[in-house]
Every structure is written in structure tokens, then in C-alpha cells.
Amino acid sequence: MAKATVATDWLAACAGCHMALLDIDERIVQLLEAVEFSSSPITDLKHPPEEGVTVGILSGAISNTHNIEVAKMMRERCQILIAIGDCATFGGVVASRNMVGTQAALKRAYIETESTVDGLIPDSPELGTPLDRVVGVGDVVDVDLFIPGCPAPTEAMWYALTELLAGRTPIVIPQEYFVYD
Ligand code: SF4
């Protein structure tokens, strides 16, 4: 039987949610028996394949136009889209920018910080244009499953993946996996 394929990417995010995914530790061997990873920050392939993947996983918030493009491409090319982490679910820590406004946050970060001399706000087209408001992935594309948390709990992600691979949907992740302390 052909293996299921998984693509992952991060948007406006730290690496924490992907690191939490890797925290399945030795179960990665079990996972790799059932799935093939295509594009991901781990394999360093940049885009999900045109022929599509079974599961797409996105971490991070939607903070700029590039994030929207990446989210839309993942949505178009995966059967099931999972948003992992608080940033992907509702903007998370990245959305704290909304309290002061994008331009003020960029100015403070790149020009006004006490350790900065001759600062410059980055404006390369490759970075995309910052949005006025940071939002979650579900605000720009349909998401099939949200796994909140900062980072998303490893066991909740493992549960979701194993349920999906067993063909059991919809996924209802047990509440016990969402204990934050
Ligand atoms: S939810 Fe937390 S760990 Fe995950 S990308 Fe956002 S800041 Fe990083």
C-alpha cells in the first residue's frame, strides 16, 4: 500500500511547534513506516508537491502576504490541513503586535531598540508585505483540525496523526492532552 504523505511548513512562528512534533522521539521510526515526509523545514524541500499530499501541517500565524500564499498553497495541495500551535490557531504571541499596530511594532523592533544603530525595517519582496493585523491560519484558509498550545502538545499531535493514519475521522483529541502548566 502506498504511504500517506505529509508536508509541513511554518509561517510567522518560532521553531517550537516543529520541535514539539519531533519530540515524539523514537516513535518517528514508527511514523516513517507509515508516512513519507515531503516538504518541511526538516527535509528543507520548500513546497508541497503539485500532486498533493495526504496531510498538511502548518505552524505559525498569518503575519504577511507571503504567509497567506504559503497557507493557500498548502490548503490547495493537501487533503487534510492541521494547524498546530497557538500562533496558527489564533495568532498566538505573534498577534501581540496587534495591540500596538504593525508599523509601530516594526519601528520599535528594527529602529528604536536600545542596541540598534542605524536600523532599517526589512522590505525585501521575498519577505512579503506585513499585514495590518496578525491572524490565525483559519482566517485565510479552511482548517480541518486545530491543535492549540505553545507549543502544540506533542502527544496531541501524535494522537491526531495516528488517528488520521488509521482512517478514523473526525478527530476529537482527548482533553487530557491539553494540560498547560
Ligand atoms: S505556538 Fe508557541 S511554539 Fe508554536 S510557533 Fe507559536 S510561539 Fe512558537
Side-chain angles (χ1 to χ4, degrees):
M1 200 171 77
K3 284 184 175 182
T5 45
V6 176
T8 81
D9 209 337
W10 61 41
L11 306 166
C14 75
C17 282
H18 273 76
M19 294 307 292
L21 185 57
L22 287 176
D23 271 349
I24 60 174
D25 296 328
E26 69 276 6
R27 288 173 289 180
I28 191 107
V29 176
Q30 188 182 333
L31 187 62
L32 289 174
E33 285 170 2
V35 308
E36 185 177 330
F37 275 90
S38 63
S39 60
S40 81
I42 302 157
T43 59
D44 207 25
L45 297 171
K46 300 297 182 198
H47 304 296
E50 281 183 29
E51 64 270 25
V53 294
T54 318
V55 181
I57 297 174
L58 288 176
S59 70
I62 303 289
S63 159
N64 60 38
T65 51
H66 178 64
N67 298 150
I68 295 175
E69 290 165 16
V70 171
K72 285 187 172 175
M73 181 181 286
M74 184 68 89
R75 175 68 278 181
E76 284 164 10
R77 296 185 178 184
C78 74
Q79 294 170 28
I80 296 158
L81 180 60
I82 305 177
I84 58 170
D86 284 351
C87 296
T89 301
F90 60 86
V93 69
V94 187
S96 59
R97 185 177 95 191
N98 295 343
M99 290 189 282
V100 296
T102 299
Q103 290 311 316
L106 290 171
K107 196 171 162 208
R108 174 68 186 142
Y110 289 102
I111 295 176
E112 295 176 347
T113 43
E114 288 68 13
S115 58
T116 300
V117 177
D118 297 333
L120 192 66
I121 296 174
D123 67 350
S124 163
E126 282 184 12
L127 300 175
T129 305
L131 302 176
D132 288 339
R133 284 192 67 76
V134 175
V135 295
V137 175
D139 287 280
V140 297
V141 295
D142 289 337
V143 173
D144 299 298
L145 180 67
F146 292 95
I147 305 180
C150 184
T154 301
E155 295 309 319
M157 290 189 281
W158 175 250
Y159 181 90
L161 282 172
T162 51
E163 286 291 287
L164 274 177
L165 293 172
R168 289 189 288 269
T169 56
I171 310 252
V172 180
I173 301 175
Q175 197 176 359
E176 69 209 50
Y177 293 134
F178 295 102
V179 175
Y180 306 112
D181 50 19

